[in-house]
């Protein structure tokens, strides 16, 4: 596991996923001067969509903290985005673009809680975020994503903390932070991203049933 680069600005990083966790990683690495490309599915899912670059898949462009991501069709457009100082996002769940872009680093930030295709041989350095990865079998390195003392710990042998299936405790709130659908159907929002809401307020509707905070 060695990467020889005289100029880190030329180092290419492929990040699998463009949700909130992946977006945070992409933002930091891009600001550090690395060439970052993100891959997504055709219909991305994210919890905190307002700060997730995956929204570029739907809207064509997405800006988070001053950095703009743009939807591109392939490696050629990705290179053009880099020249503009933008972050390319490809609909490429299989990471086929790595054959042409040849990233030195692959970061699996899907947070799928299981390994869905990452392997050490895919790049000189492979990194898995959160539970579901074992180092060095699945990746050269695993990073702990669970809140607490070990958050961000680098794991060269072993696994990240197992998924509990329970929302993390923030300010004494756990399950209260999660809204659950009252029925099967399409969610229609009644509130906008970033809008302040109060306890008991309806923020959406599913199958003619309101979803309350």
């Amino acid at each position: 596991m060695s990467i020889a680069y005289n100029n880190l600005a030329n180092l290419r990083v492929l990040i699998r996923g463009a949700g909130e966790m992946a977006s945070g990683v992409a933002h930091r690495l891009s600001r550090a001067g690395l060439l970052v490309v993100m891959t997504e599915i055709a219909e991305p899912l994210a919890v905190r969509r307002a700060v997730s670059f995956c929204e570029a898949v739907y809207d064509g462009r997405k800006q988070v903290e001053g950095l703009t991501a743009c939807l591109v069709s392939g490696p050629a457009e990705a290179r053009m985005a880099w020249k503009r100082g933008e972050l390319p996002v490809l609909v490429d769940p299989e990471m086929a673009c790595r054959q042409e872009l040849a990233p030195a680093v692959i970061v699996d930030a899907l947070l799928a809680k299981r390994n869905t295709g990452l392997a050490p041989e895919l790049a000189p350095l492979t990194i898995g975020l959160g539970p579901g990865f074992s180092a060095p079998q699945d990746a050269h390195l695993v990073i702990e994503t669970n809140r607490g003392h070990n958050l961000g710990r680098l794991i060269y042998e072993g696994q990240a903390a197992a998924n509990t299936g329970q929302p993390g405790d923030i300010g004494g709130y756990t399950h209260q932070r999660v809204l659950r659908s009252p029925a099967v159907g399409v969610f229609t929002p009644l509130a906008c991203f970033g809008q302040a809401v109060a306890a008991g307020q309806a923020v959406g509707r599913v199958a003619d049933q309101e979803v309350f905070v």
Side-chain angles (χ1 to χ4, degrees):
M1 184 182 65
S2 62
I3 304 177
Y5 272 75
N6 294 326
N7 182 2
L8 289 181
N10 293 326
L11 192 146
R12 298 177 180 180
V13 181
L14 186 154
I15 299 180
R16 195 177 187 208
E20 59 194 77
M21 185 76 73
S23 296
V25 174
H27 194 286
R28 184 68 185 91
L29 296 182
S30 294
R31 289 304 192 201
L34 279 63
L35 299 178
V36 178
V37 60
M38 308 184 78
T39 62
E40 259 295 356
I41 59 176
E43 296 181 349
L45 300 174
V47 176
R48 297 174 177 85
R49 292 176 58 187
V51 293
S52 296
F53 287 127
C54 66
E55 290 300 287
V57 175
Y58 296 108
D59 301 329
R61 306 176 74 80
K62 176 62 179 178
Q63 187 176 84
V64 177
E65 296 289 333
L67 180 62
T68 299
C70 60
L71 180 64
V72 300
S73 62
E77 289 189 9
R79 294 187 182 94
M80 293 173 61
W82 285 334
K83 291 181 179 180
R84 296 193 303 268
E86 296 181 339
L87 179 67
V89 179
L90 290 87
V91 175
D92 182 10
E94 302 304 322
M95 299 183 290
C97 66
R98 67 182 175 82
Q99 302 295 338
E100 185 173 339
L101 294 178
V105 183
I106 293 180
V107 180
D108 192 316
L110 293 179
L111 274 296
K113 311 299 189 298
R114 59 189 178 89
N115 187 353
T116 61
L118 186 64
E121 60 269 19
L122 295 183
L125 176 61
T126 55
I127 301 173
L129 301 189
F133 298 106
S134 179
Q137 292 85 359
D138 299 321
H140 296 109
L141 177 66
V142 175
I143 299 180
E144 180 61 72
T145 59
N146 194 18
R147 296 182 182 89
H149 178 72
N150 290 320
L151 177 63
R153 184 166 68 92
L154 307 183
I155 304 170
Y156 293 92
E157 291 187 5
Q159 302 176 346
N163 177 36
T164 65
Q166 300 297 321
D169 188 328
I170 298 181
Y173 295 92
T174 55
H175 66 276
Q176 300 95 331
R177 301 191 299 108
V178 179
L179 300 182
R180 302 188 183 280
S181 175
V184 175
V186 177
F187 177 81
T188 302
L190 298 177
C192 301
F193 287 130
Q195 176 182 334
V197 295
Q201 179 178 338
V203 294
R205 184 179 291 110
V206 178
D208 294 328
Q209 297 187 50
E210 292 185 327
V211 180
F212 297 94
V213 176

